């Protein structure tokens, strides 16, 4: 089983994501200009500042040639995970509902947060149980998940919330404490916290590994 | 043709940039200004109005969170 981790100009977490993936399977970097995802079985869109985050976060990266292939891969049911800037890119690309706005407090945040698994049935959460609280860091300026009222109702009633900030730990003003959502099918998931930074006891938590283990498990079943 | 695309956060969406500007007003002694919203302005040259419109909807604006208007700015 092999993960592909995208690299845009301005990505900065792709190496951590690559190393996290390699703890559980094979993994390789995919350059944003590549028109081919090769033989990867799952795709990670990593954090950073793709294309300088100019215009709006994630808005330009969605038009990268590799992203066109990711859209096809996702439509065919392939597992896709967007982390932080990768989450913003997947929202801009229309793969995930909602948008990310500047943090309520306008400040860059970097801290460990509790992230509750609300839905353990997706390709990226199956190694956890519903109700588990993972300790994972956030680090972002534009992480306030938002959807207009009708879309928010739809996301909640379809059960598309995968992760919520633990009670009292919402760092950025995200609606309904939403930290991560999925598409209707459950193969595409995005979240603001960084699971790839929580894979070694040296940095305080290995809870982030569960997301990568989930993909391995999901692919083993299919 | 030259156009200015004026983009702002949709009404009702909390705009922390606007709030930050508002909070600076009292220290300047400004009392008659309120409800500040901070957006973006994109100036560009174009030939095909329909293409410009579609560019706005595909790239320049995220309609979930932003409103926009196109202002003519000369030949």
């Amino acid at each position: 089983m092999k993960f592909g981790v995208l690299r845009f100009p301005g990505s900065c977490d792709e190496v951590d994501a690559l190393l996290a993936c390699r703890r559980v399977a094979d993994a390789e970097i995919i350059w944003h200009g590549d028109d081919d995802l090769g033989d990867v079985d799952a795709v990670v869109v990593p954090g950073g500042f793709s294309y300088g985050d100019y215009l709006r976060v994630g808005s330009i990266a969605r038009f990268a040639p590799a992203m066109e292939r990711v859209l096809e891969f996702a439509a065919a049911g392939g597992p896709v995970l967007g982390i932080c800037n990768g989450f913003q890119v997947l929202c801009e690309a229309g793969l995930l509902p909602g948008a990310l706005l500047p943090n309520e407090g306008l400040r860059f945040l970097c801290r460990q947060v509790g992230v509750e698994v609300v839905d353990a049935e997706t390709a990226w959460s199956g190694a956890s149980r519903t109700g588990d609280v993972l300790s994972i860091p956030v680090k972002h300026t534009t992480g306030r998940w938002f959807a207009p009222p009708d879309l928010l109702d739809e996301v909640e009633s379809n059960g598309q919330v995968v992760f919520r900030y633990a009670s009292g730990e919402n760092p950025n003003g995200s609606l309904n404490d939403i930290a991560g959502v999925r598409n209707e099918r459950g193969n595409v998931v995005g979240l603001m916290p960084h699971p790839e930074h929580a894979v070694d006891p040296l940095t305080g938590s290995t809870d982030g590994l569960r997301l990568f283990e989930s993909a391995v498990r999901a692919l083993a079943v299919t | 043709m030259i156009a200015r695309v004026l983009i702002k956060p949709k009404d009702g969406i909390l705009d922390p940039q606007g709030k930050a500007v508002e909070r600076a007003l009292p220290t300047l002694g400004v009392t008659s200004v309120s409800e500040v919203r901070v957006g973006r302005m994109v100036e560009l040259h174009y030939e095909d109005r329909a293409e410009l419109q579609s560019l706005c909807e595909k790239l320049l604006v995220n309609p979930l969170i932003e409103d926009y208007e196109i202002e003519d700015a000369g030949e």
Side-chain angles (χ1 to χ4, degrees):
Chain A
M1 188 262 167
K2 190 196 275 182
F3 289 93
V5 180
L6 294 197
R7 172 182 278 156
F8 299 103
S11 291
C12 65
D13 296 323
E14 78 280 22
V15 174
D16 271 21
L18 182 76
L19 296 175
C21 291
R22 284 192 178 152
R23 287 174 183 251
V24 296
D26 290 338
E28 65 181 27
I29 293 284
I30 297 169
W31 180 240
H32 71 117
D34 289 351
D35 203 21
D36 182 0
L37 300 180
D39 59 349
V40 305
D41 304 295
V43 171
V44 177
V45 188
F49 305 85
S50 56
Y51 297 88
D53 273 350
Y54 294 131
L55 192 62
R56 276 186 318 281
V57 291
S59 62
I60 297 179
R62 69 171 270 210
F63 295 106
M67 272 307 296
E68 295 296 325
R69 300 289 85 80
V70 171
L71 293 176
E72 295 166 5
F73 182 79
V80 178
L81 177 69
I83 303 169
C84 194
N85 189 227
F87 182 22
Q88 297 159 345
V89 172
L90 296 182
C91 287
E92 283 281 342
L95 282 179
L96 291 173
L100 284 310
L101 290 169
N103 297 341
E104 204 167 58
L106 267 185
R107 287 172 191 252
F108 173 78
L109 299 169
C110 182
R111 71 169 79 131
Q112 203 78 11
V113 292
V115 178
E116 184 185 343
V117 180
V118 181
D119 173 5
E121 302 292 320
T122 77
W124 297 95
S125 58
S128 294
R129 272 177 298 193
T130 302
D132 284 356
V133 177
L134 312 179
S135 174
I136 297 181
V138 289
K139 48 163 194 160
H140 58 245
T141 308
T142 310
R144 175 166 50 110
W145 187 86
F146 171 86
D150 48 342
L151 180 60
L152 177 63
D153 286 349
E154 196 181 309
V155 166
E156 289 283 5
S157 60
N158 288 345
Q160 285 177 258
V161 178
V162 182
F163 301 106
R164 283 189 216 272
Y165 297 108
S167 178
E169 295 196 43
N170 182 346
N172 52 31
S174 290
L175 289 179
N176 294 11
D177 297 334
I178 290 173
V181 295
R182 65 168 172 85
N183 63 350
E184 289 191 30
R185 193 167 172 176
N187 60 313
V188 182
V189 170
L191 77 170
M192 285 313 296
H194 285 266
E196 81 282 18
H197 295 331
V199 298
D200 193 295
L202 182 68
T203 51
S205 166
T206 58
D207 291 349
L209 266 183
R210 301 245 206 113
L211 280 84
F212 305 99
E213 288 163 353
S214 298
V216 173
R217 188 184 286 204
L219 286 164
V221 171
T222 49
Chain B
M1 302 281 283
I2 302 171
R4 291 196 187 106
V5 183
L6 305 175
I7 304 160
K8 74 175 189 67
K10 270 192 190 297
D11 291 341
I13 288 189
L14 171 70
D15 170 25
Q17 283 193 81
K19 291 282 172 227
V21 172
E22 260 178 47
R23 279 199 298 268
L25 300 180
T27 55
L28 297 172
V30 173
T31 54
S32 65
V33 174
S34 62
E35 301 304 316
V36 181
R37 313 282 284 168
V38 177
R40 267 192 320 278
M41 189 272 283
V42 181
E43 187 175 270
L44 43 77
H45 293 229
Y46 73 100
E47 284 169 17
D48 179 344
R49 185 79 176 194
E51 195 170 53
L52 171 60
Q53 198 89 34
S54 118
L55 173 70
C56 287
E57 278 148 35
K58 270 195 205 146
L59 177 65
L60 299 183
V61 180
N62 182 339
L64 268 188
I65 50 175
E66 296 166 327
D67 287 325
Y68 74 101
E69 57 190 87
I70 298 173
E71 191 181 88
D72 292 320
E75 297 293 318

